[in-house]
Amino acid sequence: MFVLVREPIDIQALTRSLVGSEDGAVAVFEGVVRNNSRGKRVLYLEYHAYETMALKKLEEVGTMARERFDIHGIGILHRLGRLEHSECSIAIVVTAAHRGPAFEACRFAIDTLKKIVPIWKKEFYEDGAVWIQGGN
């Protein structure tokens, strides 16, 4: 499951859709909006994407994770639009027989996604706004 959404992310539903009876581990990464960045108070964020390409790249990240790690399932949901403090911006759920591959695949997925998926974040401050590149 690789989806761009404009509504709050339901991590429990994503997890339920992926967990199978053969799974002994579920690793979850949840990125949330913080109230500060670069020494400034963040009012809110906006996420934008080249949606068609972003969906293809999310699937590519999932395929790469399945090829590199001994996992059973992976799902990635990313929010678009305006997000407030503490809202979930991205959820990655990985299922596997064992915790090691699940954790490794989850870390791989977020790190790779930040590099290759055309999703952009704009941070809004009291004195203006700035587009943020990659890794944060």
Side-chain angles (χ1 to χ4, degrees):
M1 176 182 286
F2 306 99
V3 183
L4 300 172
V5 297
R6 288 181 170 73
E7 63 277 343
I9 293 172
D10 184 345
I11 294 173
Q12 288 77 25
L14 176 59
T15 301
R16 283 191 305 273
S17 74
L18 292 171
V19 173
S21 59
E22 70 279 7
D23 294 315
V26 177
V28 176
F29 173 79
E30 180 179 356
V32 296
V33 177
R34 62 183 176 274
N35 67 0
N36 65 85
S37 180
R38 296 164 179 68
K40 291 184 168 188
R41 187 167 83 91
V42 174
L43 302 176
Y44 62 92
L45 300 180
E46 283 184 1
Y47 282 94
H48 300 263
Y50 174 19
E51 293 185 39
T52 305
M53 180 64 74
L55 288 168
K56 288 179 185 176
K57 290 295 188 180
L58 288 175
E59 289 182 30
E60 185 179 317
V61 170
T63 299
M64 288 189 289
R66 281 199 276 314
E67 289 171 351
R68 286 178 167 84
F69 305 98
D70 187 17
I71 63 173
H72 298 144
I74 181 169
I76 304 172
L77 274 61
H78 202 299
R79 284 277 303 269
L80 298 178
R82 180 178 169 146
L83 283 82
E84 305 295 331
H85 300 152
S86 302
E87 284 192 275
C88 178
S89 58
I90 183 169
I92 300 172
V93 175
V94 178
T95 64
H98 303 285
R99 68 182 176 274
F103 280 125
E104 291 167 0
C106 202
R107 176 67 184 251
F108 169 84
I110 188 61
D111 290 347
T112 304
L113 180 149
K114 292 282 190 176
K115 293 175 186 169
I116 71 167
V117 179
I119 296 174
W120 304 280
K121 175 171 68 172
K122 190 172 189 180
E123 292 182 344
F124 289 81
Y125 314 105
E126 293 170 330
D127 62 349
V130 70
W131 288 99
I132 305 300
Q133 294 285 333
N136 292 330

